[in-house]
């Protein structure tokens, strides 16, 4: 196949997806590539250098660790959709948001990250009856679905120094969008219809980042370039007789340039305040006409090890975020509100833990847009499992001192 690597992600995305009622207007779901610790605060804490931070969307954050670190997570939950006629239905969601790895060499850091950036998937099914001019009733069924995702794979480098930490990453983007439509009549004398349009695309970009820790405050700043994803369009089923059934080498999807900035304030030994701002320049693309911003803030509690009762040793966090989607419906903006909670279960080995998170998200307004949605998503992830290092075996002969009597 021409795009073997892309086909693997395409297969995964059909099974693991994040859905939205707004998918026919654009990719409503946005992910910032942050780890589950940060996701437990609605994506605040991206630039926290007071912990081993595996949020590598800013490559300069690689400097937060001096060991080989791995981190990954999975998210699952329910979406609820509502329309202005009082109808509602539920949908399932399950996806892999990220995988990261960091490898230190002296003051240099090398990193790898896979992340789901955008998604918009929806499968709708309706049935009905229409009456012909001869007043004859015909039953029909319509299936309309869309699967659209953009993934990103980063190879990153960061330099740790006493002035400011610097990071750079090469971004490899993979995108696909599949639109399927089927019209099925119960009466066999009528012609059924079936169409599918498949778009596969890819391209490369870059990210630059800075990070710095000053006593009780750490901060970071990063910029990601705009990227046009180039690929092929394949028309199937009803388009098979079309001589233009395959369009090659066309620009299909776009990723906007993004600026992110934020800080963490460690105002006590155990509490930290986080704030982050993300700005995406969609107006510079052919996809949408307006730029969008995301604001996130959160509070985290990281207890001192070995103090207090067991429930006082559990790291906790909470956060809130606001985002405006890049597209409108009925000339009305679509806003997203998210609240998140998270906690960690530290393991016996240092820097190893299991993270848990839950997020509640609302998007849209039935009165303004004709429909709305909310979702409750749960996440679980692991951090710190180093598969390369082994525990030192202390089996060499030793002299045992003799007691004096």
């Amino acid at each position: 196949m021409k795009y073997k690597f892309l086909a693997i992600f395409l297969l995964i995305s059909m099974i693991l997806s994040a859905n939205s009622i707004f998918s026919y207007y654009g990719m409503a779901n946005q992910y910032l590539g942050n780890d589950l610790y940060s996701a437990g605060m609605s994506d605040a804490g991206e630039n926290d250098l007071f912990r081993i931070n595996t949020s590598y969307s800013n490559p300069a954050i690689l400097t937060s660790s001096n060991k080989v670190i791995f981190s990954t997570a999975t998210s699952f939950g329910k979406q609820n959709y509502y329309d202005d006629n009082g109808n509602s239905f539920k949908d399932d969601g399950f996806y892999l948001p990220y995988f990261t790895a960091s490898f230190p060499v002296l003051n240099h850091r090398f990193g790898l990250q896979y992340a789901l950036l955008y998604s918009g998937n929806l499968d709708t099914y309706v049935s009905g009856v229409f009456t012909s001019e001869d007043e004859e009733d015909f039953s029909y069924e319509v299936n309309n679905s869309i699967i659209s995702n953009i993934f990103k794979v980063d190879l990153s480098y960061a330099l740790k120094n006493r002035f400011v930490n610097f990071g750079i990453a090469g971004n490899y983007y993979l995108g696909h969008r599949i639109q399927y439509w089927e019209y099925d009549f119960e009466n066999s004398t009528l012609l059924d219809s079936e169409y599918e349009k498949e778009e596969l695309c890819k391209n490369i970009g870059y990210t630059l980042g800075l990070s710095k820790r000053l006593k009780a405050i750490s901060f970071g700043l990063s910029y990601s370039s705009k990227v046009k994803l180039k690929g092929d369009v394949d028309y199937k089923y009803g388009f098979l007789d079309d001589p233009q059934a395959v369009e090659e080498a066309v620009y299909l999807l776009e990723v906007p340039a993004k600026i992110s900035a934020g800080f963490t304030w460690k105002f006590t030994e155990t509490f930290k305040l986080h704030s982050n701002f993300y700005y995406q320049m969609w107006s510079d693309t052919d996809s949408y006409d307006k730029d969008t911003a995301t604001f996130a803030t959160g509070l985290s509690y990281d207890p001192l090890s070995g103090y207090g009762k067991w429930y006082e040793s559990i790291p906790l966090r909470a956060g809130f975020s606001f985002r405006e989607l890049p597209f409108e419906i009925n000339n009305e903006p679509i806003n997203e509100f998210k609240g998140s909670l998270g906690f960690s279960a530290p393991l016996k080995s240092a820097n190893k833990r299991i993270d848990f998170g839950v997020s509640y998200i609302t998007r849209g307004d039935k009165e303004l847009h004709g429909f709305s949605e909310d979702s409750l998503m749960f996440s679980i992830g692991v951090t710190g499992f180093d598969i390369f290092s082994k525990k030192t075996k202390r089996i060499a002969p030793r002299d045992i001192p003799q007691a004096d009597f």
Side-chain angles (χ1 to χ4, degrees), residues 170-292:
N171 313 130
Y172 182 65
Y173 294 92
L174 304 167
H176 74 264
R177 180 167 54 198
I178 300 174
Q179 295 174 281
Y180 177 80
W181 184 83
E182 181 183 17
Y183 212 109
D184 185 19
F185 291 96
E186 184 177 317
N187 191 323
S188 60
T189 62
L190 298 178
L191 181 64
D192 297 334
S193 301
E194 186 178 20
Y195 304 96
E196 182 173 308
K197 178 183 177 183
E198 183 181 84
E199 303 173 349
L200 303 176
C201 51
K202 61 182 180 178
N203 212 339
I204 59 174
Y206 65 89
T207 299
L208 302 175
L210 301 173
S211 68
K212 180 66 177 178
R213 174 176 167 178
L214 294 171
K215 295 184 179 179
I217 294 178
S218 72
F219 61 89
L221 175 68
S222 67
Y223 170 81
S224 297
S225 64
K226 181 184 77 170
V227 178
K228 288 187 174 184
L229 306 188
K230 188 177 183 180
D232 299 341
V233 182
D234 188 8
Y235 298 93
K236 299 181 179 180
Y237 305 118
F239 298 100
L240 288 178
D241 296 330
D242 188 342
Q244 299 297 324
V246 177
E247 298 180 39
E248 297 183 353
V250 295
Y251 289 107
L252 303 172
L253 302 174
E254 289 187 85
V255 176
K258 183 186 75 172
I259 297 174
S260 65
F263 72 90
T264 292
W265 175 32
K266 188 174 183 180
F267 58 92
T268 73
E269 280 295 318
T270 56
F271 283 96
K272 293 178 292 184
L273 178 67
H274 311 264
S275 182
N276 282 85
F277 170 74
Y278 307 90
Y279 188 76
Q280 294 176 298
M281 289 166 270
W282 285 104
S283 62
D284 194 32
T285 70
D286 296 329
S287 300
Y288 307 110
D289 296 328
K290 65 175 183 179
D291 298 340
T292 61

Side-chain angles (χ1 to χ4, degrees), residues 14-25:
M14 290 180 179
I15 304 172
L16 309 177
S17 61
N19 309 322
S20 173
I21 194 68
F22 297 99
S23 296
Y24 289 109
Y25 298 88

Side-chain angles (χ1 to χ4, degrees), residues 58-75:
N58 178 355
I61 300 301
L62 282 163
T63 59
S64 66
S65 171
N66 58 3
K67 297 182 179 180
V68 177
I69 294 293
F70 294 84
S71 182
T72 190
T74 182
S75 298

Side-chain angles (χ1 to χ4, degrees), residues 291-305:
D291 298 340
T292 61
T294 301
F295 301 91
T297 185
L299 182 68
S300 63
Y301 166 69
D302 290 329
L304 299 177
S305 178

